[in-house]
Amino acid sequence: MTLRTGHTGLNVTDLNRSLAFYRDVLGFALLVEGKEGDRRYALLAEEGGDQPALTLWQQAQGPYDRGRAGLHHLAFTADSIDRVREYETALRAAGVDFAHDGVVAHREGGTSGGIFFHDPDGTRLEIAAPLGPEGAPAPHAEAPTCGFF
């Protein structure tokens, strides 16, 4: 049996605020927005896609809690390190909170890396490229990292 990720569902506190972030800043396309009981939701696709990649559920009562079981972080892949830096510029203009200053390598001397930041509810996000950050610092010298511990 071979599995692939279908989509990722995130609980959010304010659907309008999260939609503005994921759609307007990160470039996801809105497929469907609706309501189920007292929970609002939105299905988002990758740019130009028609399949859900991300589902936002307005049902959280507070921000992301890294101390609870569940999502550690959500990682996206960009085509190039230049595209990662374009996202970094847009995210900084939007006032997003970053875990590290600029592009960091996934490990010391590694060829992959990216940027690590938080969405409006504090969910930890990554945008990385497989090549390009050579020479960039690694957040932790002793272990491979995805930018968050």
Side-chain angles (χ1 to χ4, degrees), residues 27-42:
F28 283 91
L30 178 63
L31 292 176
V32 175
E33 184 176 353
K35 188 172 182 177
E36 181 178 290
D38 61 347
R39 295 178 297 185
R40 292 179 57 212
Y41 65 90

Side-chain angles (χ1 to χ4, degrees), residues 38-64:
D38 61 347
R39 295 178 297 185
R40 292 179 57 212
Y41 65 90
L43 279 66
L44 305 172
E46 294 176 3
E47 186 176 321
D50 62 357
Q51 297 298 312
L54 189 61
T55 303
L56 305 175
W57 287 94
Q58 182 177 295
Q59 61 186 16
Q61 301 302 310
Y64 173 82

Side-chain angles (χ1 to χ4, degrees), residues 95-112:
V96 169
D97 175 50
F98 280 77
H100 305 286
D101 188 29
V103 171
V104 296
H106 282 137
R107 62 179 175 80
E108 281 298 323
T111 60
S112 65

Side-chain angles (χ1 to χ4, degrees), residues 56-78:
L56 305 175
W57 287 94
Q58 182 177 295
Q59 61 186 16
Q61 301 302 310
Y64 173 82
D65 180 355
R66 68 181 244 172
R68 298 186 69 183
L71 182 72
H72 180 268
H73 76 284
L74 177 57
F76 301 107
T77 302

